[in-house]
Every structure is written in C-alpha cells, then in structure tokens.
Amino acid sequence: MQDILHAILWVALGSVIGGPTRYFISGLIGRVIGETFPWGTMVVNVTGAFAIGLAAAANVSGVLPMPVAWQFIVTGFLGSYTTVSSFTLQTMALARDGQLLQAGGNAALSVALCLVSVAVGYGIGAIIFGASL
C-alpha cells in the first residue's frame, strides 16, 4: 500500500509542474504566433514527445531511478504537460467551422511531428545516456 501512495505522490508532483508549464508554453506560443491555428498545443505535444523519447532512452540505459523518475517525469509531468484532449477538440473545432484543410493539417502535422520528435528525443537520449538504438 505504501508503494502505491508513493507512486501517487510522485505522479501528483509531476502533474503539478506539467499542467502550469503547458499553460505557460501554449499561451506564450499563442500570444507570439496567434491563435487562429492551435500552434501552442502542437508545440506542447511535439516537445512532450521529444521529452518522452529522452526519458525512454534514459530508462533503457539505466540512468533514471525507476520507477520514481518514470512516475514523476513521464506519468506526472508529461502526462499533464501534453494534451491529446486539447488537440482533438481544436481539430474538431476547425472541422466544425468548415476549415477542413486546417483540421486535416493539424491532425497530420501533429502526429507526424510527434513521431519524429519522440524518435529524435530517443536518438539523442541514446547518445547521451548510452542506450541502444
């Protein structure tokens, strides 16, 4: 029981940091670039994909103390930082407003950039932490 409580604590601590970080980054991107397209959500999801790639490589190489680091960084921080729910809602809103090209572009670009980012993050993490590719 104590292990579960510790895990919940680490996840909660990561979430407390990840949510406000997402709010800040997404808002900053929106204010700088504009909010006619959901660039803020895309930047958050792509950087989150990169970070989870780094964390996965660090995990494989044994650099991160497990399971605490995974609970804090991946489940807590990145789970709260990235936002599939916002991405899907914004994509639906674009489609509902008749902006089908933008909706399709948001979906395709988000998925493609996140896949590339997680691969690049893992590759860089493998070099840094000595994990296998």
Side-chain angles (χ1 to χ4, degrees):
M1 185 66 176
Q2 190 171 4
D3 290 343
I4 293 172
L5 291 176
H6 283 142
I8 290 171
L9 176 65
W10 284 113
V11 170
L13 288 173
S15 298
V16 164
I17 299 168
T21 303
R22 174 181 73 196
Y23 179 78
F24 175 76
I25 297 294
S26 181
L28 177 67
I29 297 299
R31 284 188 298 278
V32 171
I33 297 177
E35 296 183 350
T36 57
F37 189 81
W39 292 112
T41 300
M42 186 177 297
V43 167
V44 163
N45 286 336
V46 170
T47 56
F50 176 81
I52 203 168
L54 278 175
N59 178 34
V60 169
S61 67
V63 171
L64 291 180
M66 290 295 146
V68 170
W70 196 265
Q71 293 160 349
F72 176 75
I73 296 169
V74 174
T75 306
F77 179 80
L78 293 175
S80 181
Y81 175 71
T82 59
T83 174
V84 172
S85 57
S86 293
F87 155 70
T88 54
L89 178 64
Q90 291 163 340
T91 301
M92 185 188 75
L94 288 169
R96 193 180 58 226
D97 291 344
Q99 299 176 338
L100 297 179
L101 185 61
Q102 288 87 350
N106 188 41
L109 196 58
S110 291
V111 171
L113 290 175
C114 286
L115 288 171
V116 169
S117 292
V118 73
V120 170
Y122 187 89
I124 291 172
I127 292 168
I128 293 171
F129 304 120
S132 61
L133 289 174

